[in-house]
Amino acid sequence: MKLSLVPKLEQQQILAPQMILSMDILLLNSLDLENRIGKEFMENPALELAEDAAAEEARAADAEAKSAAEANGDRDPEVTKLMEVLDNFESRYGGEEFSGRRAAPSGEDNKLQALQNHADRPA
């Protein structure tokens, strides 16, 4: 009977409870995440919901713009904002359809000129 010691290297990953909780939260969609956050606020009295003043002002401004637009029979403010973005795009890049290619800078294209001046490979 022969006894011997054999070294063995083994690597294990053990997930801590915080890691498991983090992974569960990351897998939630937005609606489930909002419900989960609401549940945590209801269960834990030490948690408070603090909102930015800027976010509150933005919401108030959006609500005022929507109510004014509805009163005047105008379009939705989001649609108006998108139309302004489209107008800016058209004025910047011309009224024609966008082809997806960048316009060549004014003057000569140095790369193109270098390619044209390069000798062909012998056949």
Side-chain angles (χ1 to χ4, degrees):
M1 180 194 271
K2 182 178 179 184
L3 294 175
S4 65
L5 293 176
V6 179
K8 182 180 178 183
L9 183 61
E10 187 176 295
Q11 192 174 26
Q12 290 183 346
Q13 181 178 9
I14 300 173
L15 293 177
Q18 291 89 0
M19 292 295 295
I20 294 171
L21 181 64
S22 296
M23 287 189 302
D24 288 342
I25 290 174
L26 287 173
L27 293 174
L28 296 175
N29 63 26
S30 60
L31 183 60
D32 292 337
L33 182 61
E34 287 180 16
N35 291 338
R36 175 81 179 255
I37 292 170
K39 179 183 168 191
E40 292 295 328
F41 278 115
M42 297 300 286
E43 291 176 357
N44 190 346
L47 295 177
E48 293 181 6
L49 183 62
E51 294 196 21
D52 293 345
E56 290 179 16
E57 290 175 11
R59 276 197 210 110
D62 286 343
E64 288 176 17
K66 276 187 177 181
S67 63
E70 289 173 0
N72 294 334
D74 293 339
R75 288 186 274 186
D76 188 21
E78 292 177 21
V79 173
T80 306
K81 185 185 285 186
L82 290 174
M83 292 300 290
E84 289 173 6
V85 169
L86 179 62
D87 291 340
N88 287 338
F89 180 82
E90 287 178 348
S91 66
R92 182 177 288 174
Y93 297 106
E96 60 213 39
E97 274 190 47
F98 181 67
S99 65
R101 296 185 62 183
R102 292 187 203 173
S106 60
E108 295 181 13
D109 188 2
N110 294 335
K111 290 181 183 178
L112 180 61
Q113 189 178 32
L115 287 173
Q116 290 174 345
N117 290 335
H118 184 52
D120 289 336
R121 291 183 181 171

